[in-house]
Amino acid sequence: MKHLFLMLVLISILWSAELDWSNDYEASLEVAKKENKHLYVLVTSSTCRWCRKFESTTLQNEKVLKMLNEKYVLVHADRDIDDLPSWFNVKRVPKHYFVTSKGEEIYSFVGYWDELDFRSFLGDVDKEYEKKIKQGIIK
């Protein structure tokens, strides 16, 4: 029984995906340009319980992990500590920003979202990006 448990733990470690976060917005823009990706910027606060819930539930979901890793360079910033451009006007957290590699906002929303709703928002980001391209808002 002990060996079975140990084997299950090892398998779960090997198969679990991780997110590669940065807290350096400017450096992440450069990485996004090189990798031809957009940025997902998650802004939280150390005192926000909804932020912790989002991190410990939604961001642990395998489907969410896969979607984020495939399409985005990830930035996780604390609004009280990290430097972000002034247009990130964060009053409530968690705040989610989707940004082009040129620093143009595609889409943003606030709050805790479960994995199903968050994956739906990820689909909305793609639609909003295409809409803004057609309208000439994003180039």
Side-chain angles (χ1 to χ4, degrees):
M1 188 65 152
K2 189 191 310 185
H3 294 290
L4 179 61
F5 176 74
L6 185 57
M7 188 166 37
L8 289 173
V9 169
L10 288 173
I11 289 171
S12 69
I13 291 171
L14 290 174
W15 288 100
S16 66
E18 291 184 12
L19 297 174
D20 186 21
W21 294 101
S22 169
N23 68 344
D24 188 333
Y25 176 78
E26 295 299 329
S28 295
L29 282 176
E30 293 303 316
V31 172
K33 287 176 190 169
K34 289 178 187 171
E35 295 182 6
N36 196 28
K37 292 182 175 182
H38 299 305
L39 264 67
Y40 166 56
V41 181
L42 172 61
V43 184
T44 63
S45 171
S46 61
T47 60
C48 171
R49 71 183 178 99
W50 291 108
C51 299
R52 300 299 83 75
K53 184 172 181 175
F54 181 75
E55 294 163 350
S56 67
T57 59
T58 306
L59 289 181
Q60 300 304 312
N61 179 275
E62 287 183 37
K63 291 177 183 176
V64 170
L65 293 171
K66 184 178 179 192
M67 290 174 82
L68 287 174
N69 278 326
E70 286 177 358
K71 291 183 153 191
Y72 301 98
V73 173
L74 307 171
V75 179
H76 188 186
D78 184 311
R79 74 169 177 199
D80 304 320
I81 298 170
D82 296 312
D83 291 325
L84 288 170
S86 61
W87 67 268
F88 283 96
N89 186 15
V90 182
K91 293 184 177 154
R92 296 185 314 154
V93 289
K95 181 77 181 224
H96 312 265
Y97 289 95
F98 295 86
V99 181
T100 69
S101 62
K102 295 177 184 174
E104 302 164 301
E105 182 179 341
I106 301 168
Y107 194 64
S108 67
F109 53 91
V110 69
Y112 163 80
W113 299 98
D114 66 21
E115 66 90 11
L116 186 61
D117 289 330
F118 188 73
R119 285 191 299 126
S120 177
F121 278 120
L122 291 176
D124 292 344
V125 172
D126 293 338
K127 291 174 192 168
E128 190 65 21
Y129 178 70
E130 293 301 323
K131 182 175 120 183
K132 287 186 174 182
I133 290 273
K134 286 179 184 174
Q135 294 174 338
I137 297 169
I138 292 177
K139 298 178 188 204

